[in-house]
Amino acid sequence: KVTGRPDELPTPKAFADSITLDHAIINEEDSSRLKDQVALIAQDRFSAWLQAYAAKTKSAMDTSASIQRFLGPQTKAKHIYSDNSLEIEKACKDLGMAGGHDTSTPHRPQTNGVAERAVRRTKEGTACTLEQAGLDESWWSEAMSCYCFLRNVVDILVDGMTPWRKRFGKNFTGPIIPFGAEVQYKPITTKDKDRLHKLGGKLLSGVFVGYSQQVGGGWSGDLLVIDWEGLDNADNVSEAYIKRFA
């Protein structure tokens, strides 16, 4: 029997120097409102930037798309650490990053502790987010994305900075809105404007469900909202339409 402590991962000095990847598998009966059954949990070790990307499968194609969305355009990770997922291995190869990909030792969970803690943190945060919002569990995909975003902008790390500041070099200046909060929004489509009373207010009510993010994690400036009336009139939660507003 061979025992011993695995070597420490290389010390990252900038975003994408070292990232961890792991899949969170959701049971079919617990799939999201859009039938997602898996989420790729990605974390940057330098900034502690955490993101989760829901998908219908854990295929190499879906995994590759999520990794690229995490890193951003023309960015490659110098070092990637994951479990022995064949899908992650192929995705790294397809993205030209196979040379920097290390995997954990089978049946030795301590070698994949960083990635597993990121998954556990994301699952627990998503569950709390859904419970506080009072929305159905089928909204876990949106709740998971919103949880990760807010964690990145408000959590203070040991060096006194947020993951957002370490990732982008400045503090987040947008609004901090909890998932599931009731909001008022200004309609922009003719259909929505026609719903306003001619002598009434100029805003409609909705439910906040997240921030629109660009490839690489930055905020586009738009907020994601579900209209109350649209939610009430939907025959199924999958039909609820998410609107974007600046």
Side-chain angles (χ1 to χ4, degrees), residues 150-214:
L150 289 174
R151 179 190 176 278
N152 288 332
V153 302
V154 303
D155 270 19
I156 305 297
L157 305 175
V158 293
D159 59 6
M161 293 195 289
T162 63
W164 181 279
R165 184 174 179 81
K166 296 193 73 169
R167 172 75 176 88
F168 296 111
K170 58 184 179 180
N171 291 325
F172 179 69
T173 58
I176 306 297
I177 308 174
F179 180 82
E182 183 173 11
V183 294
Q184 303 289 313
Y185 70 93
K186 185 176 182 179
I188 56 177
T189 66
T190 301
K191 182 179 179 181
D192 282 343
K193 289 179 180 179
D194 288 343
R195 292 165 51 199
L196 296 171
H197 192 285
K198 300 302 180 185
L199 301 178
K202 302 303 180 184
L203 301 176
L204 295 174
S205 294
V207 180
F208 176 75
V209 292
Y211 299 80
S212 173
Q213 288 182 261
Q214 301 166 329

Side-chain angles (χ1 to χ4, degrees), residues 37-49:
Q37 296 184 39
V38 64
L40 180 74
I41 313 298
Q43 184 168 32
D44 174 63
R45 292 184 54 241
F46 166 74
S47 62
W49 184 270

